[in-house]
Amino acid sequence: MEEFFRIQGAGGKKTLKGDFVVSGAKNAALKMFGAAFLFADGFEMRNVPEIEDIRSVAALAEKSGLTAKRVGEGKWQVGPAKGEIWKMDEELSRKIRASIVLTGPILSRFGKVEFSFPGGCNIGKRPIDQFLDGYRAMGAKVSEVEQEKVLNVTITAPKGGLRGAEIFMRNPSHTATETLMMAGVLARGKTVLKNAAMEPEIVALAEYLVACGAAISGAGTPTIEIVGGKLLKASGRPYVTIPDRIEAGSIIVLASLLGKKVTIRNCEPCHLDALIAALKLCGVRITTGPDFVEIFDSGKNYRLPDKSLTIKTQGYPGFPTDLQAPMISFFTQVDGDSVVFETIFESRLEYIQDLVKMGASIVTVSNNQAFIHGSTPLVGKEMKSLDLRSGMAFVIAGLLAKGESLVHNAYNIDRGYANIEGRLKNIGAKIERVRVEP
Ligand code: EPZ
């Protein structure tokens, strides 16, 4: 069965109003299905987004011997691990990038892990060298066998388990930081991660592990220290997922384009400094509170400060690569010439050709720089989402355009945005999900 979104565009008229309630962060909650292997007991997870990726990683964790049960709206009971199953299901581990995060906890808990090269959005090669080099530094043996284009990896810890090590990360990788931090929790001795990523999801993970007995310091800074110890214990302490800053940012961009007055609730504005600063520079009327962001129609056209602005995607707290696509949709409506450098992933601009077909004036250079000349009116088109975030950019562009748009591969968007059409309808967007039986 194919599902797509049918969208009636507003032709640029600012009509959206009301509250949009942000879900829990996909890229925080996913990692807890790996963290659970570090525990002697289980724990309850709250504010978990009702999305495809959560269901996928839960199925993978269950196949790896972890109890993982959805016990209510946004609630899961996870752990403890029932048995020593260190071979990860191939099909499931190739479905999402987050599967790689389970390898650290499983390896440090059971001394062995076998998995197939992870999947995820097709936004670049997405190597795993930093994970494997980190495990080697911790004393593990890594063997890689390629069979019919699938890379199967077996990692074996030394006798007595992983050893703490000092690891310099060539790229401050978000998931590699989380994974090696978790591997250090049960390793013998101290692990130091240098040039570590600083995303809020990493801080949230570390805070919960520390509350349950882990010795971790420095999460959220470039140097994280972990002193290995014994299995953690939740002892009834629930894990509450932080708000999804990328979902919040996507809706803030939409509200900036089409909002009469929209309030984005249950978010952490301080996680969105880079986006909010860029939007304010273009004249968006934004106010922020402790857990909400309000966008008002400024009644004026947006314009770039002295007619030009350059945005570079970076690790946190820089401009997030996951908001690059929504931001480029925004720049098509701003007077002036903007430039966006995608520095994190090497093929994350493929979707731009579809925005050009809608009437946007964008030129891409060496697949990592986009030059946008605005503002240009967009006309509705039929599009196919290539990945989660460009799919959301198509929804934004469709809502903005004149006429009807169809966005195929709704699954891609469902991977990261729960019931997106329902929540967008709540603020007045004209969007519906269409199911086509085979
Ligand atoms: C995480 O991916 C997120 N996914 C991505 O979100 C997000 O775009 C990305 O971080 C950046 O914030 C999850 O958390 C599940 P990276 P991750 O490792 O960890 C290179 C979404 O839309 N690298 O920080 O895979 C890599 O190629 C998704 O929600 C290596 O070279 O990203 C990239 O150039 C998309 N070797 C750079 O590091 C490695 O071993 C940063 O990627 C690992 C990564």
Side-chain angles (χ1 to χ4, degrees):
M1 173 180 64
E2 206 254 332
E3 292 189 2
F4 62 87
F5 293 115
R6 178 180 287 125
I7 297 165
Q8 303 307 324
K13 279 197 287 308
K14 298 193 173 187
T15 56
L16 303 184
K17 54 182 188 297
D19 290 2
F20 184 99
V21 180
V22 175
S23 306
K26 163 176 94 81
N27 291 343
L30 286 175
K31 310 345 178 357
M32 297 313 291
F33 291 86
F37 286 95
L38 302 173
F39 284 70
D41 57 358
F43 53 88
E44 183 179 273
M45 290 175 63
R46 295 178 185 162
N47 195 32
V48 179
E50 297 284 345
I51 54 175
E52 284 295 324
D53 275 14
I54 290 289
R55 292 186 277 273
S56 304
V57 79
L60 174 63
E62 279 226 297
K63 288 230 166 166
S64 297
L66 190 87
T67 47
K69 288 266 164 295
R70 184 179 176 279
V71 292
E73 181 68 20
K75 278 199 183 135
W76 285 76
Q77 185 63 33
V78 289
K82 290 190 298 279
E84 271 198 36
I85 305 172
W86 39 261
K87 184 170 175 9
M88 290 169 60
D89 178 87
E90 176 180 332
E91 194 207 330
L92 284 167
S93 66
R94 287 179 57 204
K95 215 168 153 196
I96 53 170
R97 176 74 182 184
S99 60
I100 187 86
V101 173
L102 276 66
T103 61
I106 291 175
L107 177 64
S108 69
R109 173 81 185 266
F110 302 128
K112 189 167 182 180
V113 66
E114 190 179 318
F115 64 100
S116 305
F117 194 94
C121 301
N122 53 355
I123 52 180
K125 275 197 316 300
R126 306 192 81 180
I128 57 170
D129 56 306
Q130 299 204 160
F131 296 82
L132 305 185
D133 291 351
Y135 293 143
R136 290 187 183 99
M138 297 174 90
K141 208 159 68 45
V142 178
S143 77
E144 302 168 68
V145 176
E146 183 149 344
Q147 272 159 341
E148 292 121 49
K149 294 211 175 320
V150 175
L151 185 68
N152 291 308
V153 183
T154 303
I155 307 172
T156 316
K159 254 182 128 34
L162 292 177
R163 292 190 298 269
E166 180 165 306
I167 301 166
F168 181 81
M169 311 189 77
R170 288 183 303 288
N171 264 314
S173 158
H174 182 157
T175 46
T177 298
E178 291 164 328
T179 306
L180 295 173
M181 179 172 78
M182 289 200 277
V185 168
L186 298 182
R188 278 173 298 133
K190 179 158 84 167
T191 299
V192 181
L193 302 181
K194 293 194 162 184
N195 194 29
M198 300 187 275
E199 273 71 13
E201 294 78 22
I202 298 168
V203 176
L205 171 62
E207 282 174 352
Y208 185 72
L209 297 181
V210 167
C212 296
I216 300 172
S217 58
T221 78
T223 305
I224 301 177
E225 288 197 6
I226 310 104
V227 177
K230 51 192 195 328
L231 286 177
L232 305 180
K233 281 185 82 64
S235 316
R237 180 191 315 277
Y239 169 82
V240 182
T241 313
I242 59 171
D244 193 313
R245 61 195 167 96
I246 304 303
E247 177 179 273
S250 308
I251 304 305
I252 288 169
V253 168
L254 174 66
S256 301
L257 286 165
L258 294 173
K260 202 170 178 54
K261 180 174 179 279
V262 176
T263 307
I264 293 91
R265 294 203 178 283
N266 284 15
C267 67
E268 283 277 3
C270 64
H271 290 164
L272 289 154
D273 288 345
L275 172 71
I276 291 172
L279 292 172
K280 281 183 170 173
L281 269 179
C282 299
V284 179
R285 248 184 80 199
I286 300 183
T287 56
T288 58
D291 62 352
F292 67 87
V293 172
E294 249 168 8
I295 311 278
F296 303 84
D297 176 5
S298 63
K300 297 196 285 296
N301 284 346
Y302 296 138
R303 64 182 55 256
L304 295 173
D306 47 28
K307 304 293 275 177
S308 77
L309 179 66
T310 295
I311 295 270
K312 202 190 259 189
T313 63
Q314 293 168 310
Y316 191 85
F319 193 93
T321 173
D322 293 347
L323 289 177
Q324 173 252 101
M327 194 66 184
I328 286 183
S329 298
F330 172 79
F331 277 140
T332 66
Q333 304 307 304
V334 181
D335 292 337
D337 293 304
S338 53
V339 183
V340 175
F341 278 70
E342 171 54 60
T343 71
I344 306 287
F345 293 108
E346 65 276 18
S347 48
R348 203 171 196 177
L349 297 180
E350 318 277 308
Y351 67 94
I352 284 176
Q353 53 200 327
D354 284 283
L355 295 184
V356 171
K357 281 189 202 130
M358 294 178 82
S361 167
I362 308 175
V363 173
T364 55
V365 171
S366 63
N367 213 17
N368 64 7
Q369 297 173 55
F371 295 80
I372 306 107
H373 176 77
S375 67
T376 52
L378 302 184
V379 176
K381 278 268 175 293
E382 187 162 7
M383 298 167 269
K384 199 179 260 191
S385 74
L386 307 170
D387 66 74
L388 164 64
R389 306 303 176 185
S390 62
M392 189 60 193
F394 287 164
V395 168
I396 292 170
L399 290 168
L400 175 67
K402 193 168 173 349
E404 181 176 276
S405 293
L406 304 180
V407 180
H408 291 278
N409 291 349
Y411 167 81
N412 272 341
I413 298 161
D414 293 337
R415 283 190 51 207
Y417 299 91
N419 177 30
I420 191 62
E421 74 275 19
R423 291 189 288 163
L424 288 176
K425 276 184 197 158
N426 276 348
I427 55 174
K430 293 189 172 54
I431 178 172
E432 59 173 346
R433 182 184 293 261
V434 179
R435 288 185 176 84
V436 182
E437 296 302 330

